[in-house]
Each structure stands twice: as structure tokens, then as C-alpha cells.
Amino acid sequence: MDNLHNCGKKLTAVASVVLLCGSMGLAQAGQQPSSSPASQTPGQNNPAMDSQMNAMNASGQPSLMDKAFVSKALQGGMAEVQLGQLTLQKSNNDQVKQFAQRMIDDHTKLGEQMKPVAQQLGVSDPKSISKKDKSTIAKLEALSGPAYDQAYIKDMVKDHKQDLSEFQTEASSGQDQTVKDAANQGSKVIAQHLQMIQQIAKDQNVNIASK
């Protein structure tokens, strides 16, 4: 009897140990799902954020587009000033000359406002105007009187339509906020210029209908 009693105690003790170990195992297994995501979250989030930032930096193209816009805007503004100065010398029409002076004043200011933006992006000041603008100036230099005024008016309408489109595109689609803000402000000035030269064309009976 004593032997049976002792065996019963041993079996009970063994069963208790088995149950205890089993419950601990279940407890640990139950904790793993909750602790695993917590330990994995930093490792998962950081690479995702890094890859997203790398993708933005690696894309590069938007930044290049911003730089190209700033460079072209500075170059175009320089051409507007030179054309305005030429017009003051060549034209005898007061309305046309007033517009030319407005071009000199406004585009000089726009250029000054754009220069800090260019420096921020590492864009150098243009050394000269574009080949296209050089060609335009050469053609206008060969004209005089009403023929000059008509050619200048037509060129200004065409040029400001293109400039307005480019400035508005940069303002809405650019990547650098400083450049976008400058483009937005510039587009407002250019829109005024376009409206002015279109009215002058109407007053001077210059046909500016698109082909």
C-alpha cells in the first residue's frame, strides 16, 4: 500500500510538471505573435522610408527640370530687356515704346528675383541670350518704322504665349517649392504683358491670329 501511495504521489508530481511546462510553452507561444511585429516594425518601416527617399532623390529629373526652367527664364528675361532697348531706339510709336519700357523694367525685376533662386539651385547666370533670340534681334535690326513695330508686336505676342505656358507648367508641376513660387509670381506678370501686347496689336491693326 505504501508503495502504491508513493507511486501515486510521483505520478501526480510528474503530471504537475508536465502541465506547468505546457502552460509556459503556450504562454510563450501566445506572446510571440504580439512581440514579433513590434520587433519587426522598425526594421520594416525604416527600409521602406529609406527606399522612398532614395527614389525621390534618385529620380533627379524633376530637379533638372527646375534648373532648366530657371536657366531658360533668366536667359529669356535678358532677351526681353535687349529687345526692349532695341525697340526704344528703332520705334517711333509711343504705344509700342511704352510697352518696350515696361518690358525692360519688369523683366529686369523678374531677373533680380530669380537670381537668388538660381544660386540656391546652383544655376549660373546666362552669359548671353539664346540663338533663337539672337536671330530675332538680327531680323528686327534690319527693319524700321511700322514694319519694325509690326514685327516686334508679333514676336512679343508669340513669345509671351510660350513663356506663360512654361511658367504655368513649372508653377503647377515643378518639384522645388521656391522655383514653383517664383514661376507662379512670374506667370502673373507675363499674363499682364500678354494682355497688354494683344491690346496693342488690336490698336495697331496687327494680325496676330494663330496659324
Side-chain angles (χ1 to χ4, degrees):
M1 293 290 293
D2 291 338
N3 290 336
L4 290 173
H5 184 66
N6 290 335
C7 287
K9 287 182 176 181
K10 290 179 180 180
L11 289 172
T12 302
V14 171
S16 298
V17 171
V18 172
L19 289 172
L20 178 61
C21 291
S23 63
M24 291 177 63
L26 289 172
Q28 290 178 353
Q31 291 175 354
Q32 286 178 356
S34 60
S35 61
S36 179
S39 62
Q40 292 178 2
T41 299
Q44 290 175 342
N45 286 346
N46 289 341
M49 291 174 64
D50 291 342
S51 63
Q52 186 176 20
M53 291 182 67
N54 289 337
M56 292 173 63
N57 294 333
S59 63
Q61 190 63 29
S63 177
L64 292 176
M65 290 173 63
D66 290 339
K67 289 181 178 181
F69 168 79
V70 171
S71 179
K72 188 174 181 180
L74 286 171
Q75 196 174 41
M78 183 186 297
E80 294 288 1
V81 171
Q82 290 186 19
L83 282 166
Q85 292 171 339
L86 177 63
T87 301
L88 291 180
Q89 297 172 11
K90 301 279 289 184
S91 178
N92 293 318
N93 187 301
D94 289 340
Q95 192 178 27
V96 173
K97 292 176 71 172
Q98 287 176 6
F99 178 81
Q101 185 62 56
R102 179 71 177 269
M103 293 302 98
I104 296 172
D105 296 341
D106 286 358
H107 283 282
T108 297
K109 291 179 182 177
L110 286 174
E112 291 301 319
Q113 293 171 357
M114 190 67 75
K115 284 182 180 179
V117 179
Q119 292 176 353
Q120 180 179 323
L121 297 181
V123 176
S124 302
D125 290 344
K127 295 180 180 180
S128 64
I129 61 177
S130 68
K131 291 181 179 179
K132 172 180 172 293
D133 289 326
K134 286 180 179 179
S135 176
T136 298
I137 289 178
K139 290 178 181 179
L140 288 174
E141 285 178 335
L143 302 174
S144 61
Y148 176 92
D149 294 336
Q150 187 176 72
Y152 176 70
I153 291 170
K154 287 184 176 180
D155 181 75
M156 286 294 98
V157 171
K158 180 180 178 181
D159 190 56
H160 279 81
K161 282 183 177 180
Q162 182 178 346
D163 288 347
L164 181 59
S165 176
E166 292 176 355
F167 270 69
Q168 289 177 336
T169 297
E170 176 64 24
S172 61
S173 304
Q175 293 297 310
D176 188 287
Q177 190 59 49
T178 304
V179 181
K180 291 177 69 175
D181 290 342
N184 184 51
Q185 291 299 319
S187 67
K188 295 177 181 178
V189 176
I190 293 172
Q192 293 177 355
H193 292 171
L194 179 58
Q195 186 176 14
M196 288 172 61
I197 195 63
Q198 286 175 329
Q199 182 60 50
I200 292 174
K202 184 178 179 180
D203 294 344
Q204 301 297 325
N205 295 316
V206 177
N207 184 9
I208 55 172
S210 302
K211 294 181 180 180

